[in-house]
């Protein structure tokens, strides 16, 4: 499926202060420019989730195609932004520019994990049903992924590294032995 951009705006959500910001520029913005795509950007800040959502939700318009080119934390903020914006026809996709990329790995193919053009050419719309938490009838937080198995497995695999195991068992680098 290739997106029909008639009456649709492509928006790239990113964190310009991320450790992978230069990768996003080169692999997302430059790639889209070379392919002739027109897009706008919104920036996720190093701020509390609610602050990002309050600032970004008014920027979302009906029928936007939003690509999060960020890590899972920023992607989570964009997901909550789309929910709060409550605009019809908005579609959200995830490109993997974080450490674990749980959301991109869940919804993308290997070819479209970091390539926005491949993503836009191969994307399959899926309706998702997040788990939402309410307190006193008011929404508190939602989770797009029910269990972050990919993140958990990746994080756990770090303990197989002999250097990490040595730090855990012998102290150092602020790592608590009980981990």
């Amino acid at each position: 499926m290739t997106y029909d951009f008639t009456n649709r705006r492509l928006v790239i959500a990113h964190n310009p202060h991320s450790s992978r910001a230069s990768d996003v520029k080169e692999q997302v913005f430059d790639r889209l420019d070379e392919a002739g795509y027109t897009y706008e950007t919104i920036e996720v800040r190093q701020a509390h989730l609610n602050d990002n959502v309050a600032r970004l939700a008014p920027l979302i318009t009906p029928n936007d195609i939003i690509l999060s080119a960020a890590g899972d934390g920023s992607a989570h903020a964009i997901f909550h932004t789309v929910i709060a914006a409550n605009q019809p026809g908005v579609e959200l996709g995830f490109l993997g520019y974080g450490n674990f990329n749980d959301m991109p790995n869940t919804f993308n193919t290997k070819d479209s994990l970091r390539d926005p053009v491949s993503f836009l050419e191969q994307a399959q719309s899926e309706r998702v049903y997040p788990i939402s938490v309410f307190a006193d009838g008011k929404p508190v937080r939602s989770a797009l992924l029910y269990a972050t198995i990919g993140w958990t497995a990746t994080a756990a695999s770090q303990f197989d590294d002999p250097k990490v195991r040595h730090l855990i068992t012998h102290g150092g680098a602020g790592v608590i032995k009980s981990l």
Side-chain angles (χ1 to χ4, degrees):
M1 166 186 141
T2 300
Y3 281 105
D4 176 7
F5 285 97
T6 307
N7 300 318
R8 299 194 82 180
R9 180 176 73 140
L10 175 59
V11 179
I12 308 301
H14 68 108
N15 178 345
H17 302 291
S18 152
S19 61
R20 293 209 167 93
S22 61
D23 292 339
V24 170
K25 187 209 174 301
E26 180 182 303
Q27 297 171 17
V28 178
F29 298 137
D30 291 352
R31 176 90 165 99
L32 288 170
D33 291 341
E34 289 168 8
Y37 282 88
T38 301
Y39 59 90
E40 295 179 30
T41 65
I42 57 176
E43 295 181 358
V44 178
R45 294 186 180 152
Q46 304 292 73
H48 188 277
L49 174 68
N50 294 340
D51 295 336
N52 271 308
V53 170
R55 185 176 53 79
L56 297 175
L59 304 176
I60 307 302
T61 62
N63 300 311
D64 279 349
I65 299 167
I66 301 170
L67 286 181
S68 170
D72 286 327
S74 293
H76 186 72
I78 294 302
F79 162 68
H80 278 274
T81 296
V82 168
I83 290 172
N86 196 28
Q87 295 289 345
V90 173
E91 294 186 73
L92 174 61
F94 304 100
L95 299 174
Y97 286 93
N99 294 318
F100 299 109
N101 300 314
D102 213 28
M103 286 192 261
N105 280 308
T106 298
F107 295 107
N108 291 5
T109 66
K110 184 178 179 182
D111 294 337
S112 66
L113 188 62
R114 288 196 173 172
D115 182 355
V117 174
S118 291
F119 179 90
L120 294 168
E121 291 173 353
Q122 299 176 22
Q124 298 290 321
S125 289
E126 296 180 39
R127 185 172 293 269
V128 295
Y129 301 92
I131 293 175
S132 296
V133 176
F134 294 84
D136 295 325
K138 296 178 184 175
V140 175
R141 190 74 43 104
S142 294
L144 182 58
L145 301 177
Y146 305 134
T148 57
I149 294 168
W151 182 88
T152 302
T154 303
S157 72
Q158 303 304 306
F159 295 111
D160 287 336
D161 182 319
K163 292 177 185 176
V164 172
R165 286 194 112 16
H166 179 78
L167 285 174
I168 291 170
T169 57
H170 297 92
V175 178
I176 299 170
K177 186 174 181 175
S178 65
L179 287 177

